[in-house]
Amino acid sequence: MLRREMILGLAAAGLTACSSAPRRPLGPDGLPLPVAYRIAPGEEAAVQFRMLDSVNALRQQAGVPPVELNAALNAAAATHSRDMAVQNRPWLFGSDGSSPLDRARRVGFPGRLLGENISESFESELQTLAAWMAQPDTRTVVLDPDARSMGFSWFQEESGKLWWTMNMGSDPSVSRPIASAAF
């Protein structure tokens, strides 16, 4: 009797293993291929505040003041993220030749733009932040001690590819914007 229960138990366990979740395709290294990070409608604020909280935790650890989300810089970041997707290349210049400074001026940001980080990936905002922190030039933007305002946005393609943009700006009451060049 014990033997029959043991055989039935093993058979049931074997059948359960057959009905597991679908397996992800494997890459040449034998590891599962990555899955695109998807941002669902309605998650925009959660993603932005998760990034803000993470940036401020890193800034606190570095001994620099926190930043706040700025609607104008968010708009500049959103515009540039979509433009990078249209151009299909991650770079700091817009399809119209605009620089990060130009885009900050266009949206009426009253402070000084201190830097812009960009990324093209299938990764989450926190994985993107980790990649930025691993590079000296983009880390400097995140931890700029003069920054008090942050803009952060993205554009996600149907394929799942994300175009991320982060802008850091000064406190408008402390530093004046860079004057527009008159040509």
Side-chain angles (χ1 to χ4, degrees):
M1 185 63 115
L2 182 60
R3 184 174 176 179
R4 185 174 6 169
E5 289 174 6
M6 190 175 217
I7 292 172
L8 288 175
L10 288 173
L15 288 174
T16 303
C18 292
S19 66
S20 64
R23 295 180 186 205
R24 291 183 11 208
L26 299 180
D29 58 1
L31 296 174
L33 292 173
V35 175
Y37 174 71
R38 296 261 180 204
I39 300 172
E43 288 185 331
E44 292 83 3
V47 170
Q48 282 186 317
F49 282 105
R50 194 165 37 245
M51 178 61 96
L52 178 66
D53 290 344
S54 299
V55 164
N56 280 333
L58 292 167
R59 290 177 64 83
Q60 181 180 19
Q61 189 175 28
V64 295
V67 292
E68 294 180 356
L69 282 174
N70 179 281
L73 290 180
N74 284 343
T79 299
H80 190 56
S81 292
R82 180 176 288 278
D83 190 45
M84 286 190 298
V86 168
Q87 296 180 69
N88 197 32
R89 64 177 169 180
W91 75 323
L92 296 173
F93 294 96
S95 57
D96 61 355
S98 63
S99 71
L101 293 172
D102 296 329
R103 292 188 294 275
R105 278 191 210 112
R106 282 182 192 163
V107 296
F109 179 64
R112 178 174 286 205
L113 185 72
L114 301 171
E116 180 176 81
N117 287 341
I118 58 171
S119 179
E120 166 195 17
S121 75
F122 289 88
E123 299 174 332
S124 74
E125 68 280 0
L126 299 182
Q127 291 169 309
T128 300
L129 178 59
W132 286 336
M133 293 302 289
Q135 298 299 319
D137 56 340
T138 51
R139 178 186 179 94
T140 299
V141 172
V142 174
L143 299 179
D144 189 320
D146 294 330
R148 298 297 181 277
S149 299
M150 181 178 92
F152 179 67
S153 195
W154 61 91
F155 178 77
Q156 187 160 34
E157 296 179 358
E158 288 293 322
S159 68
K161 182 190 288 186
L162 285 151
W163 300 87
W164 300 103
T165 305
M166 172 192 280
N167 293 317
M168 288 294 190
S170 68
D171 182 345
S173 66
V174 175
S175 66
R176 299 161 45 108
I178 297 172
S180 296
F183 293 101

